Amino acid sequence: MMKNLSNNLKELRKNAAMTQADLAEAIGVSRKTINTIENRIFVPSTILALKLAIVLHCSVHEIFELESD
Amino acid sequence: MNFALLSRLRLASFLLAGLTCLIYAILALLFDRPDPVPFWIPGVVGALTGLFGLITGVFLPRVSSVVWDELSRNEWSRSVQFGYWVAVALYPIAGAFLYADLFAWPTLFAAMGTLTGAAPLLCFAWLDTRGA
């Protein structure tokens, strides 16, 4: 059963008072990568998801979640 | 050189090389000859694009690693897959053209080669402009 992946990255980033550029620089990717993740165009790897969680001081589950049916 | 500039230069170089190959193929088919313009132009433009990537990778490793981050590598992988299927599809298409005697085989050979080169470059350029 396929479920869509949603994310709360934008909210968590804003809560951390970071811009897309700040977050991108903190984890060593482009701002576009952050933008495409927030807009659900790109699904990042586990490594990138963990880096995001570390920088945002939360768990990966708080950033990403499977949408319920 | 910052990330944004290098990213734009990469996009421009890929567009230039891809469009050069595409235009060469179109001209070859239009004039039914394998060398509608000097034959070395697509090769030289492609080589310069590769050289640009190599030089920036060697001399600007930190900026280059951000430009070629996970998203870009993913997009390039998808572009190469697209290019592979374009190359495969070109064989039956060229065969049909040959069978119908629409073009000479040297013309089709030149068009197939340059289209095969253009496909991943232009696909990457298109993917790279999303979400920018």
Side-chain angles (χ1 to χ4, degrees):
Chain A
M1 184 170 62
M2 291 288 288
K3 288 188 173 183
N4 289 327
L5 184 70
S6 67
N7 73 72
N8 305 306
L9 183 59
K10 190 172 183 177
E11 291 75 21
L12 290 165
R13 173 177 62 76
K14 284 185 174 175
N15 289 344
M18 295 179 89
T19 63
Q20 288 184 343
D22 293 336
L23 184 55
E25 190 175 348
I27 63 170
V29 298
S30 64
R31 188 197 60 77
K32 184 189 155 194
T33 298
I34 302 300
N35 190 40
T36 52
I37 294 170
E38 287 185 356
N39 291 321
R40 298 168 59 175
I41 295 170
F42 176 59
V43 177
S45 68
T46 309
I47 292 171
L48 201 54
L50 286 165
K51 284 181 180 176
L52 286 168
I54 290 167
V55 170
L56 294 171
H57 305 292
C58 61
S59 74
V60 173
H61 274 84
E62 287 175 74
I63 306 174
F64 300 98
E65 59 190 11
L66 290 172
E67 285 181 342
S68 54
D69 292 329
Chain B
M1 187 182 294
N2 63 20
F3 153 76
L5 177 60
L6 185 57
S7 183
R8 276 196 290 271
L9 286 173
R10 177 188 61 180
L11 177 63
S13 68
F14 276 41
L15 265 177
L16 178 67
L19 287 174
T20 301
C21 290
L22 180 66
I23 290 168
Y24 189 99
I26 290 170
L27 290 176
L29 294 173
L30 211 58
F31 296 110
D32 196 8
R33 53 179 298 172
D35 54 349
V37 292
F39 71 91
W40 47 264
I41 289 178
V44 168
V45 174
L48 288 175
T49 298
L51 194 62
F52 172 71
L54 183 68
I55 288 171
T56 53
V58 170
F59 293 104
L60 300 165
R62 201 187 69 79
V63 181
S64 192
S65 72
V66 176
V67 171
W68 283 106
D69 67 354
E70 187 175 303
L71 175 66
S72 282
R73 291 198 304 274
N74 180 279
E75 288 175 343
W76 179 244
S77 175
R78 289 174 59 192
S79 304
V80 171
Q81 287 173 36
F82 173 74
Y84 169 80
W85 287 113
V86 167
V88 169
L90 283 172
Y91 281 90
I93 293 169
F97 282 159
L98 266 182
Y99 184 76
D101 206 20
L102 286 174
F103 299 102
W105 70 263
T107 300
L108 286 170
F109 188 71
M112 286 171 70
T114 45
L115 285 174
T116 298
L121 293 167
L122 293 178
C123 182
F124 182 83
W126 179 73
L127 290 173
D128 196 38
T129 55
R130 296 178 318 159

